[in-house]
Amino acid sequence: ACSRVCGARVKSRVAKRSGSDGAMADDVAAPPPDAEMTDAPAPDGAGGEISTGGDHALNNSAPNVGTGDGGATLARAQPAASDATPPKPRVFKIGDKVSALASFDGVHHEATVVDLRRAKGAEGKDEDAIGPADVSYYVRYAGMDKRLDAWVAGVNVDVLDPGMTRNLSDPLLGPGSLASPRKDSVNLGDGAPAEGRKVTRNLKRRYNEINNVAGSIEDLAPIDQKLEKEHDEKTKVKNIGCVEFGRFEVDAWYFSPYPAEYADCAKLYVCEHCLKYMKHEVTLLKHKARCRMTHPPGRMIYRHPRHDEGKPGLAFWEIDGNTHKVYCQNLCLLAKLFLDHKTLYFDVDPFLFYVMTEFDERTNKHAVVGYFSKEKCSNEDYNLACILTLPPYQRKGYGSFLIAMSYEISRREGKVGTPERPLSDLGQVSYRSFWCREVLQVLHRHKGSISVKDISGATGFQERDIASALQSLNLLKYWKGQHIISATPKIIEEHMRSFNSKRQITVNQGWFNTQWQPPTFAPPPKPMRGGANRQ
């Protein structure tokens, strides 16, 4: 689930002592926080996703986070001489629009008060005696991802200046043209400008998908809108401030349903080997002294040495949620800190988890860097349910490597796979980048005409994912009533140069465990008709 850190930080404990902050990153370039993502400063992460982790998502706020404002800008207009700034109230209320100082760029932004709390020592004060120094506000910045939500001291929150206006121009309509129903030129990925087209809901959704722009709640179906609002209400305030994991200290991006006794924890301590979580550092130190785990449970299915490159080796571990339930539950709770819409926490029995680790070849100790999960039996041929690259390990190519491994497992199962929908912001970016790169490589190798079905057979991607990638590359044309692939060798080479990455990691068939084969499971029994008591 980004080398630009915005709101979410990752600190190496070593760097922390020397006073320098480490950078957090993701495999793919992170869009601005209000642009959509992302799985994320990051924006793929696996979490498929991808929190991923996308690669960020990872994600990205960072791997999913960007530092820019992503097209929607704040402009301060000159107030008229007769305008008078309204007096600042002693305490703002939930739902008030305010101007809040952001920690990620040191600038005041428009925000909405989501929650508030009194400072210690101010609990017994009368309402009339409460001042800005006695209260803190949990704010959500306008047009930015939830991962940037934060508690802000009352002294850093001001009345929203009416002159501070946000330019919310729709990218489909052009700057300052909210009143205009048309745009002269819109890139929809089909090579044709949208001249004269009316901006419909489907047209806007298509634009957002191609350009990785997150849709609004209003664009969802009524039932999905209701579910989204219920989810937002339950998870609107982060319950964990940051998490110490190994040598890193990472800001939490989202709410995670840890047990009640760990709620409102400023810092959570997590063992990097067994993923057990604790409230106090002294408890973690005592645990480390007796923890004998040096790698995840389960079976190592892939070992990727990289000592020739001067980098830590990589390994994949296959873990059955039914066999190692506690470890998988702890993994899901940790992942939820960096994934907004993850719903799997405790019912891990129907899932397999593929955990990627970095390992030291001298000590053979493994550190978790990311994972993806998949259903044991999927009627829709999903090869991935959730994906995440942890923030300290983003922008290293790990997100794409996780995606590549999910497709390699599907290939060994003899299936054509696709990730479970919907994708997170960072997951969307990571998967789109991966699909485009792989499809371009097939087109580059193939001479002559080729169909989407042929590309599916060569890559293991579903045809709709290939069509989406071709559309985003502007290589899919509509001609005489059907879609055709239109690309010259020169155009393909130009696209490939934009997708070349020194961080790309390739799955090596020779490094799989020769004794391993993808497990097979019987499908769950179908429910009986006519009631539970009918035989």
Side-chain angles (χ1 to χ4, degrees), residues 64-116:
N64 324 322
V65 181
T67 55
D69 198 35
T73 58
L74 291 172
R76 184 177 294 277
Q78 293 295 332
S82 60
D83 291 347
T85 302
K88 179 177 179 179
R90 286 185 174 274
V91 178
F92 293 102
K93 298 179 181 179
I94 294 176
D96 285 351
K97 302 291 184 180
V98 298
S99 173
L101 182 66
S103 61
F104 48 82
D105 60 2
V107 176
H108 276 78
H109 294 273
E110 177 187 348
T112 302
V113 176
V114 176
D115 199 1
L116 58 88

Side-chain angles (χ1 to χ4, degrees), residues 351-369:
F351 292 86
L352 290 172
F353 294 79
Y354 292 88
V355 177
M356 183 170 69
T357 61
E358 282 186 350
F359 65 87
D360 187 328
E361 296 189 27
R362 296 171 300 173
T363 63
N364 201 35
K365 287 188 176 181
H366 294 249
V368 176
V369 301

Side-chain angles (χ1 to χ4, degrees), residues 301-332:
I301 65 172
Y302 182 86
R303 184 180 177 91
H304 191 124
R306 300 194 297 172
H307 54 270
D308 293 341
E309 306 173 39
K311 299 178 181 179
L314 301 175
F316 269 91
W317 301 79
E318 182 182 71
I319 307 171
D320 190 328
N322 186 44
T323 305
H324 303 282
K325 185 173 297 187
V326 174
Y327 182 91
C328 294
Q329 289 174 344
N330 289 343
L331 178 62
C332 291

Side-chain angles (χ1 to χ4, degrees), residues 5-145:
V5 179
C6 173
R9 60 177 164 74
V10 177
K11 290 185 180 178
S12 169
R13 297 185 66 194
V14 177
K16 180 180 169 185
R17 296 189 185 101
S18 64
S20 62
D21 285 355
M24 173 163 51
D26 190 27
D27 303 323
V28 293
D34 63 351
E36 35 96 43
M37 161 187 178
T38 302
D39 48 213
D44 101 308
E49 255 189 351
I50 9 55
S51 317
T52 114
D55 266 353
H56 75 230
L58 172 284
N59 70 120
N60 46 176
S61 125
N64 324 322
V65 181
T67 55
D69 198 35
T73 58
L74 291 172
R76 184 177 294 277
Q78 293 295 332
S82 60
D83 291 347
T85 302
K88 179 177 179 179
R90 286 185 174 274
V91 178
F92 293 102
K93 298 179 181 179
I94 294 176
D96 285 351
K97 302 291 184 180
V98 298
S99 173
L101 182 66
S103 61
F104 48 82
D105 60 2
V107 176
H108 276 78
H109 294 273
E110 177 187 348
T112 302
V113 176
V114 176
D115 199 1
L116 58 88
R117 65 187 179 191
R118 293 191 181 187
K120 291 182 178 179
E123 294 89 345
K125 287 187 177 182
D126 294 334
E127 290 292 337
D128 295 339
I130 295 293
D134 298 322
V135 65
S136 295
Y137 300 97
Y138 191 82
V139 301
R140 178 165 301 167
Y141 296 102
M144 301 187 188
D145 190 89

Side-chain angles (χ1 to χ4, degrees), residues 272-329:
E272 62 182 326
H273 299 301
C274 69
L275 306 186
K276 180 178 173 61
Y277 46 89
M278 292 143 271
K279 293 179 64 174
H280 306 290
E281 185 175 17
V282 62
T283 310
L284 176 65
L285 295 176
K286 291 179 180 179
H287 169 79
K288 283 185 174 181
R290 62 177 183 270
C291 183
R292 295 292 176 260
M293 289 186 66
T294 58
H295 59 73
R299 186 177 188 183
M300 184 167 66
I301 65 172
Y302 182 86
R303 184 180 177 91
H304 191 124
R306 300 194 297 172
H307 54 270
D308 293 341
E309 306 173 39
K311 299 178 181 179
L314 301 175
F316 269 91
W317 301 79
E318 182 182 71
I319 307 171
D320 190 328
N322 186 44
T323 305
H324 303 282
K325 185 173 297 187
V326 174
Y327 182 91
C328 294
Q329 289 174 344

